[in-house]
Amino acid sequence: MGASPWIVSDALWERIEPLLPRKGRRFRHPGRKPMPDRQVLCGILFVLHTGM
């Protein structure tokens, strides 16, 4: 059985990553650290694929 369809391959990530905006953290009230973009994309694809 192949890899799960919501797992982003390295080749695909190399094409997607430059398209994502870069955002800096605020100094005074930084809040929670953001999750890695690749992990967030995998989560979105999981929800779209499974229909949750």
Side-chain angles (χ1 to χ4, degrees):
M1 188 167 155
S4 302
W6 53 84
I7 302 300
V8 178
S9 67
D10 290 336
L12 179 59
W13 183 244
E14 286 178 12
R15 294 184 68 182
I16 293 173
E17 187 177 24
L19 303 174
L20 299 175
R22 293 282 168 222
K23 55 185 179 256
R25 293 187 71 199
R26 294 180 294 184
F27 178 71
R28 288 186 63 168
H29 303 285
R32 185 182 304 196
K33 287 187 178 183
M35 293 184 67
D37 290 335
R38 188 172 183 171
Q39 189 175 355
V40 172
L41 179 60
C42 287
I44 292 169
L45 294 175
F46 175 79
V47 169
L48 290 174
H49 183 77
T50 60
M52 288 184 141

